[in-house]
Amino acid sequence: MAIRKVMTTARTWLDNSLRTLCVALFALLVALVAWQVFTRLILGQPSAWSEEAARHTFVWVSLIGIAIAVGEKADVIMDFLVERLPRSLQRVADLLAYLATLSFVLYVMVFGGLQQSILAWSQKNPLLPLTQGQLYLALPISGALLTIYLIIHIVTTFSSRYAGHVGSPDEDLEAASL
């Protein structure tokens, strides 16, 4: 019981930290784009560094946002077939989906992202005071976050708290019509 409380507290802390980080990065993105518009339209001299910073900030916001969505199970899922299966087969389908996604995340995002970061670690960015490798860390970091959430989902799939897919097509149509 104590381990469940620790895990719940850790999960809550991670969720809240990522949401806060995502909001802060999004605010930074808005400020950077506003600065670009100001320098381009008012000063007549576009700011190249802010465009580059906005691009990288957008990547970080997107990848961390994907981790948050997966953590909340708010990612895009087409489960109209899975909903019609018995709960035991829903569990198998979920497990296969999580394992397939985890395989992709570990190989492409974590392993590939780390390799890309290492290769570009000493490559200077001409507009920002960071190296390209440091900027590329968004991929393995978000991959690690996705891995954590996917492992949580896999463990939950094996637990007695697994509820399966309870939505119905009528609920989906009703939600889509709003």
Side-chain angles (χ1 to χ4, degrees):
M1 190 58 134
I3 226 165
R4 180 179 283 172
K5 185 173 180 162
V6 170
M7 294 303 290
T8 302
T9 303
R11 166 90 190 259
T12 302
W13 179 85
L14 179 62
D15 292 345
N16 291 336
S17 297
L18 290 179
R19 283 188 199 110
T20 302
L21 178 61
C22 212
V23 167
L25 286 173
F26 191 75
L28 176 62
L29 178 61
V30 169
L32 287 168
V33 171
W35 178 253
Q36 282 179 275
V37 170
F38 176 76
T39 59
R40 180 167 294 163
L41 297 179
I42 306 299
L43 301 179
Q45 298 174 339
S47 171
W49 71 266
S50 64
E51 182 178 342
E52 181 79 2
R55 184 178 311 118
H56 287 289
T57 304
F58 179 75
V59 169
W60 278 85
V61 165
S62 300
L63 291 174
I64 291 172
I66 290 168
I68 293 169
V70 168
E72 295 176 353
K73 290 190 175 183
D75 50 331
V76 176
I77 182 170
M78 296 172 36
D79 60 353
F80 57 91
L81 291 176
V82 177
E83 286 177 348
R84 289 163 176 72
L85 296 173
R87 185 170 295 161
S88 60
L89 290 178
Q90 287 182 11
R91 190 181 300 249
V92 170
D94 280 348
L95 187 60
L96 289 173
Y98 294 143
L99 289 174
T101 306
L102 183 62
S103 299
F104 173 83
V105 165
L106 286 173
Y107 185 70
V108 174
M109 295 180 76
V110 176
F111 179 71
L114 278 173
Q115 283 187 322
Q116 186 63 30
S117 290
I118 289 168
L119 287 173
W121 195 259
S122 60
Q123 182 182 356
K124 300 278 186 216
N125 184 298
L127 301 172
L128 299 175
L130 300 168
T131 67
Q132 286 302 109
Q134 291 167 329
L135 295 169
Y136 291 160
L137 283 175
L139 204 54
I141 289 172
S142 66
L145 294 169
L146 281 164
T147 299
I148 291 167
Y149 283 122
L150 288 167
I151 289 171
I152 290 170
H153 293 330
I154 289 169
V155 169
T156 304
T157 302
F158 283 114
S159 77
S160 59
R161 297 179 297 151
Y162 178 77
H165 297 253
V166 292
S168 71
D170 295 335
E171 290 174 2
D172 293 341
L173 290 174
E174 202 173 288
S177 67
L178 294 178

